[in-house]
Amino acid sequence: MTNLQGSFVALPTPFTADDDIDFKGFETLIERQIKYGTSQIFVLGSAGETTLLSIEEKKQIVHEVIKIADGRIPVFFGAAAPTTEQSIAFAKYCESERADGVIFTVPPYVLIPQTAAFAHFDSCMSAIGIPCGIYNNPSRLGVHVEPETIKKLSDKHPHFVLDKEAMGSVEQLVQVQRLCGGKVKIMCCDFPKYSIVLPTLAVGGTGTANIGGNIIPEESAFYSRPWTSTEIMESSRAEYFKWFPLLQQLYTFSNPIVIKAALDILRLPGGHLRRPYQEYSGHRRDELEKLMGEMGVIDKYGVKH
């Protein structure tokens, strides 16, 4: 079973100028993550504009990305859907394509209680045998998955291996770790206003499920290491503090708007957004490019033509 730790990068979906899936672009982005030490990648999450993709496009992405990764880096796919049945069907497809794992969310907009959230996740997890996780993101989905619900799922499903947390509560991290005893790996988002990267690692979390690694993959891998020694703790903290201003810029708007602008600045694929998103432009983009230049990101990662 995949040992989830370090930097778990949520990839954007690269599109061509004609709005088609850019699979050559996917290959470039994945090769880059492998090169710079990313531990695993997440495809078809919110950073992947998953709600703007058809089911046929999602299936095509799963099929092609697994071929590109070719076992060199674990790939998890988002199995979020409006209904439990649709989540199950897509997770089963991912399993049939030999995905390394899937991540479930509560269905958006329906605002279900905890009993229904447990029943949803329980049904999804019962339908597959590959590693799976949940993405707890109440700001986008409207429902907070409580630690007690996570514990019930952990007790029942041995292949439930990941709790991807995106909320500003250290108590949530403590309670999940306390109740689950490490059976479920906690990895957190890198949203600066939550600032739960260091608390996650401090309570025994194993890394970050991040978007910053799209732009600074090597640095994200460095500060996302589990804290197994005082030396790692201190170097991780110093590195995270150093790159905090860039993370603040990358989260000026919701994912993947700024990430795609930064990729475009680096002349990497993935810069085009699907409607109704609008391109990141004007003085904000200028400020982003200026900061990336001052911090050495463009010199290190920019594609030279």
Side-chain angles (χ1 to χ4, degrees):
M1 190 169 285
T2 303
N3 183 25
L4 297 171
Q5 64 176 15
S7 180
F8 196 161
V9 178
L11 291 186
T13 298
F15 299 111
T16 68
D18 296 326
D19 238 15
D20 295 323
I21 309 297
D22 180 5
F23 288 106
K24 190 67 178 173
F26 254 128
E27 184 175 354
T28 299
L29 296 179
I30 291 169
E31 294 295 340
R32 182 169 175 263
Q33 294 301 324
I34 293 171
K35 175 182 177 180
Y36 286 109
T38 295
S39 299
Q40 50 272 312
I41 55 176
F42 178 45
V43 177
L44 298 178
S46 53
E49 295 169 79
T50 186
T51 58
L52 306 181
L53 296 163
S54 69
I55 186 63
E56 292 77 15
E57 287 176 322
K58 291 180 183 181
K59 287 183 174 181
Q60 191 180 12
I61 287 171
V62 171
H63 182 76
E64 295 297 330
V65 164
I66 289 173
K67 285 201 301 185
I68 293 168
D70 194 27
R72 296 173 299 156
I73 186 170
V75 186
F76 277 56
F77 294 91
T83 69
T84 302
E85 289 71 24
Q86 288 172 318
S87 289
I88 289 172
F90 189 72
K92 284 184 172 180
Y93 174 78
C94 292
E95 183 172 33
S96 73
E97 289 288 316
R98 300 181 183 276
D100 294 292
V102 294
I103 295 179
F104 298 108
T105 71
V106 293
Y109 296 109
V110 291
L111 303 180
I112 54 179
Q114 288 300 297
T115 53
F118 173 81
H120 167 73
F121 288 129
D122 181 38
S123 296
C124 290
M125 293 179 185
S126 296
I128 59 169
I130 57 174
C132 60
I134 66 167
Y135 184 18
N136 185 28
N137 191 352
S139 68
R140 275 197 153 173
L141 298 168
V143 175
H144 163 49
V145 185
E146 295 175 359
E148 292 76 15
T149 301
I150 296 172
K151 182 188 186 312
K152 285 174 63 180
L153 292 166
S154 173
D155 289 343
K156 186 173 181 180
H157 299 286
H159 62 305
F160 170 33
V161 295
L162 172 67
D163 174 27
K164 184 174 183 282
E165 286 287 346
M167 63 175 301
S169 169
V170 177
E171 180 187 13
Q172 173 80 2
L173 306 173
V174 170
Q175 288 284 58
V176 171
Q177 184 71 359
R178 185 180 72 85
L179 293 173
C180 297
K183 287 191 294 182
V184 176
K185 307 301 183 187
I186 303 174
M187 303 182 90
C188 69
C189 74
D190 55 355
F191 182 36
K193 287 192 177 179
Y194 292 164
S195 287
I196 54 173
V197 168
L198 299 181
T200 294
L201 297 170
V203 302
T206 59
T208 67
N210 64 76
I211 54 99
N214 286 292
I215 310 307
I216 48 169
E218 191 168 47
E219 292 76 10
S220 294
F222 186 82
Y223 63 66
S224 297
R225 295 171 297 165
W227 285 3
T228 56
S229 70
T230 304
E231 180 184 356
I232 289 177
M233 178 192 72
E234 291 176 347
S235 59
S236 171
R237 182 172 57 199
E239 189 79 355
Y240 177 67
F241 286 171
K242 175 183 176 180
W243 293 103
F244 193 78
L246 179 61
L247 293 176
Q248 289 179 302
Q249 281 280 349
L250 295 178
Y251 276 96
T252 306
F253 285 92
S254 64
N255 293 328
I257 296 172
V258 189
I259 286 297
K260 286 202 160 188
L263 288 172
D264 194 53
I265 289 168
L266 296 175
R267 298 184 178 181
L268 287 163
H272 176 65
L273 291 156
R274 272 194 173 173
R275 295 173 66 187
Y277 283 126
Q278 292 182 322
E279 305 296 338
Y280 195 67
S281 59
H283 73 277
R284 286 193 175 94
R285 180 183 166 112
D286 293 340
E287 290 172 0
L288 174 64
E289 185 167 0
K290 181 173 181 287
L291 180 63
M292 289 170 64
E294 290 172 347
M295 299 193 77
V297 178
I298 296 174
D299 284 343
K300 179 173 180 177
Y301 293 116
V303 176
K304 310 297 189 294
H305 288 299

